[in-house]
Amino acid sequence: RHIPFNPATGFKKLRKVQQEMSFLDQDEAASFLAHVNGKYPPGSKDRWVYVVYLVALNTALRAGEIWGLRPSDINEPTRTITIKRQFNRVSLDFGPTKSKKHRVVPCNLTLLSELKALIAANKISLQETIFQNENGRPVCHDNFADRKFAKDLKSWGGRQIRFHDLRHTATTLLIASGVDIKT
């Protein structure tokens, strides 16, 4: 019962409507983080959700890069994180970053402390991903965006944005605070 030809042959592709880039300002980002810090307090089993937002808003990592983070990527003495891989939500495997190059991003003391606490509390080995589901696999971004992020935005009551917009927020805030654009 296979069709011997592509019925769409001869038709032009529809143009994909790009969502406008959006980002939170500094007060909105702080308000959102305060909200989720209260919702997922230190010591709670879901504290990792708050840490995901903290990573996103302090490093400007892509979602797949966040899900691919391992404790071995964190350099405590230099307070940096080396981005070496991303988790591909389609193939459910790790691959290179979008640029296919490793890069190093700054990691402030608050983020470093939260990451260390999460790693210690969950006994995560150096080569495991920091953010895991119950089966020890990296978190599925689609599930996270639908089940956690959308609900957290709604309960916060602020402006509705996409998860990717946290990357734009982080970049904007880092540049505004004097971090050079290449970093």
Side-chain angles (χ1 to χ4, degrees):
R1 298 185 45 110
H2 290 253
I3 300 172
F5 62 92
N6 183 347
T9 300
F11 290 96
K12 286 185 178 179
K13 273 186 158 182
L14 295 175
R15 294 184 92 182
K16 185 176 179 182
V17 178
Q18 291 285 353
Q19 255 186 324
E20 189 172 321
M21 183 176 69
S22 186
F23 57 89
L24 302 175
D25 64 31
Q26 189 164 2
D27 292 337
E28 290 172 314
S31 171
F32 177 69
L33 281 176
H35 170 73
V36 292
N37 187 35
K39 188 171 179 179
Y40 309 109
S44 71
K45 72 176 183 67
D46 286 334
R47 182 63 173 180
W48 67 272
V49 177
Y50 168 75
V51 180
V52 166
Y53 299 137
L54 202 59
V55 169
L57 286 167
N58 281 280
T59 62
L61 297 185
R62 295 175 178 90
E65 294 169 343
I66 293 172
W67 307 129
L69 274 181
R70 295 177 181 165
S72 60
D73 299 329
I74 301 168
N75 186 328
E76 190 173 348
T78 61
R79 292 197 344 237
T80 59
I81 300 173
T82 303
I83 312 307
K84 301 175 181 177
R85 78 198 65 73
Q86 66 180 355
F87 182 70
N88 185 317
R89 65 186 189 199
V90 176
S91 68
L92 300 177
D93 203 1
F94 297 101
T97 62
K98 188 174 180 180
S99 69
K100 308 222 182 326
K101 296 178 184 174
H102 293 183
R103 69 182 192 284
V104 177
V105 296
C107 179
N108 64 46
L109 287 174
T110 302
L111 176 57
L112 182 61
S113 170
E114 287 286 348
L115 285 167
K116 284 174 50 178
L118 183 66
I119 292 164
N122 294 322
K123 299 177 177 74
I124 300 168
S125 74
L126 287 176
Q127 294 308 313
E128 290 181 288
T129 56
I130 295 172
F131 305 106
Q132 306 173 3
N133 63 21
E134 306 80 39
N135 302 325
R137 296 284 301 150
V139 172
C140 172
H141 179 67
D142 293 329
N143 286 340
F144 181 84
D146 295 343
R147 294 185 182 157
K148 295 285 187 193
F149 184 61
K151 289 178 183 175
D152 291 341
L153 276 179
K154 188 173 184 176
S155 67
W156 170 52
R159 194 155 34 105
Q160 298 297 298
I161 60 170
R162 304 168 301 164
F163 185 85
H164 185 76
D165 292 330
L166 296 178
R167 176 174 162 81
H168 299 298
T169 298
T171 303
T172 302
L173 296 177
L174 286 167
I175 291 170
S177 69
V179 175
D180 69 279
I181 196 161
K182 185 167 174 40
T183 301

